[in-house]
């Protein structure tokens, strides 16, 4: 009884997640979904099964979050 969150054929799921961090302030997981060109937040609450797109149209290899909760995202395509 699980939920598919990684898929190679569906944009409703992660496709090659590269970086993953835990945001303790929001009790969520943030991931760089490389092949779908987005950064997503997933609740660690088992009742929630869908993610929230935070940033779209981005090719990100790296993400970080500081103590204040500010999210930092690299974009290797734009060199930012």
């Amino acid at each position: 009884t699980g939920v598919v969150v990684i898929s190679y054929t569906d944009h409703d799921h992660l496709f090659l997640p590269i970086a993953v961090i835990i945001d303790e302030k929001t009790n969520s997981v943030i991931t760089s979904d490389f092949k779908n060109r987005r950064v997503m937040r997933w609740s660690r609450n088992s009742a929630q099964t869908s993610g929230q797109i935070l940033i779209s149209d981005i090719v990100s290899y790296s993400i970080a979050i500081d103590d204040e909760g500010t999210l930092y995202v690299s974009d290797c395509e734009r060199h930012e």
Side-chain angles (χ1 to χ4, degrees):
T1 73
V3 176
V4 174
V5 295
I6 298 177
S7 171
Y8 297 104
T9 59
D10 189 347
H11 285 281
D12 291 333
H13 298 92
L14 298 175
F15 185 3
L16 194 59
I18 297 289
V20 177
I21 58 174
I22 304 294
D23 182 352
E24 293 179 6
K25 288 188 176 191
T26 62
N27 194 28
S28 62
V29 175
I30 300 173
T31 184
S32 171
D33 188 8
F34 182 75
K35 287 289 191 175
N36 283 328
R37 301 176 58 93
R38 62 191 179 187
V39 174
M40 295 194 69
R41 179 187 314 270
W42 296 81
S43 173
R44 293 173 69 191
N45 178 349
S46 61
Q48 188 175 7
T49 60
S50 62
Q52 170 193 16
I53 298 173
L54 298 178
I55 305 170
S56 59
D57 193 31
I58 189 168
V59 181
S60 177
Y61 280 111
S62 181
I63 55 179
I65 196 164
D66 66 16
D67 292 337
E68 302 297 316
T70 303
L71 180 65
Y72 299 90
V73 180
S74 69
D75 186 333
C76 64
E77 197 169 72
R78 294 180 181 100
H79 306 286
E80 298 177 336

